[in-house]
Amino acid sequence: MATVTRHAPETFEDAAAALAAATSAGQAVRIVGAGTKLRWGNPEPPGEAAVELHTTGLDQIVEHNAGDLTAILQAGVPLAVAQRTFAAAGQMLALDPPLDPAPTIGGVVATGDSGPLRHRYGGPRDLVIGATVALSDGAIASTGGKVIKNVAGYDLAKLFSGSFGTLGLILSISLRLHPLHEDSCTAVGATGDADTLQRAAVALAAFPAEFEALDIAWRGGRGGVLARCAGGESARRAQRAAREISELGLEQVDVIEADGQLWERQRAGQRSADRVLLRVAAAPSALADVLAAADRAEATVVGRAALGQSFMELVPEEVAGLRDRLPAGAAAVVLDAPAGSDLDRWGPVPGPALELMHRVKRRFDPAGTCNPGLFVGGI
């Protein structure tokens, strides 16, 4: 078995030097944060990475500009630590992926991870306003700035968001923050009819209320919708949403004030310890077809009702059939999977899009040093 050299640099210069040395030696580098998503992406061929570059030594909150609602974090800062710091000032980073196991901010951005708050605030690339990165030749590049209006320069920050570390190493990230709402209430309703749930999800997405989150859940032919209101008069707004949910034909309509555990369950549905976890993208108007495909595969589902993003947990043997039954235009990416699973992790990608991604890879990492083969198309 090949020996793997492990680096945990504590400065940007040391991180860049480690990348440059690996490139010079013709060695592949596996970039690792807290290691919470090592099963995501294409399985790494045995012995492929000669170097592991861990970001855990880059763990400083460089700046928290409370007045501007911005912050600069090094890539290895645990997301939970950052959130506690921001909460002390009545603020939050509006990214809420599962925190068990505990991810780093660099890993969350690099994989495009998120949670129910994506409904209102968007994903990582919508909240990143700047970044400093190390490239495989040892160069350190920065883009964006500390203020939201700064859009000068090439937008490396958004390009690196969701790139799975295949373009280079994120060293630090500038982020926009939002006020933290202490009060929240969630209106819920249930149904055993997928078409009714789809109509409710589409109607609530257009409902004249600013939901903090709007999710669906589905298991074994039955599920429901969850509409969370936060901030001022959240209880009154949730009651109004509950009346709308009832009028849309759902049952067991209720307003839940202590809703923390409800949303923890939604986030927990985005991970799987021993089965396959699929992330499915489809038009919100195709939700009923997505749920029908899930039922055929005996999959459980949580998802963002207005965004067409669903997470399905199922056994490996059902993945191919489920993909075949998804509506036209839908895509299903394997996130978690049991060790040794022989699955197509990314599914088909249109040729022009794949060629563009290969060109970007060659531009930023021509030697193929960073996380080779991990991303779609073997990038």
Side-chain angles (χ1 to χ4, degrees), residues 299-371:
T300 62
V301 185
V302 300
R304 314 287 92 88
L307 305 179
Q309 185 184 71
S310 302
F311 297 86
M312 298 187 181
E313 188 179 27
L314 67 165
V315 297
E317 295 77 15
E318 294 288 350
V319 171
L322 185 144
R323 277 176 162 157
D324 289 342
R325 290 188 291 270
L326 288 173
V333 173
V334 174
L335 299 180
D336 295 330
S341 299
D342 184 18
L343 296 170
D344 179 356
R345 300 301 178 101
W346 296 98
V349 179
L354 187 57
E355 173 55 27
L356 176 59
M357 287 187 278
H358 275 287
R359 288 168 57 191
V360 172
K361 171 70 171 179
R362 291 192 294 268
R363 169 64 180 83
F364 284 91
D365 183 23
T369 300
C370 301
N371 285 356

Side-chain angles (χ1 to χ4, degrees), residues 104-163:
T104 61
I105 184 61
V108 169
V109 171
T111 58
D113 202 9
S114 62
L117 289 178
R118 191 183 189 110
H119 168 78
R120 179 175 177 184
Y121 301 100
R125 71 185 312 274
D126 301 298
L127 299 173
V128 171
I129 56 177
T132 298
V133 302
L135 304 180
S136 58
D137 63 358
I140 296 176
S142 297
T143 187
K146 296 187 291 185
V147 294
I148 295 169
K149 66 181 179 180
N150 189 339
V151 294
Y154 189 63
D155 203 344
L156 289 174
K158 286 183 169 51
L159 189 62
F160 273 60
S161 298
S163 67

Side-chain angles (χ1 to χ4, degrees), residues 16 19 51 70 115 123 144 147 192 234 257 259 261 296 315 356 378:
L19 273 179
V51 177
T70 62
V147 294
S234 59
E257 295 186 4
D259 61 356
Q261 289 188 350
R296 289 279 300 275
V315 297
L356 176 59

Side-chain angles (χ1 to χ4, degrees), residues 10 12 43 47 76 92 109 129 164 168 173 199 225 241 251 269 276 298 302 362 367:
E10 297 182 359
F12 292 179
M92 69 172 179
V109 171
I129 56 177
F164 276 65
I173 307 166
R199 287 194 297 272
V225 65
E251 310 158 351
V276 174
E298 297 184 351
V302 300
R362 291 192 294 268

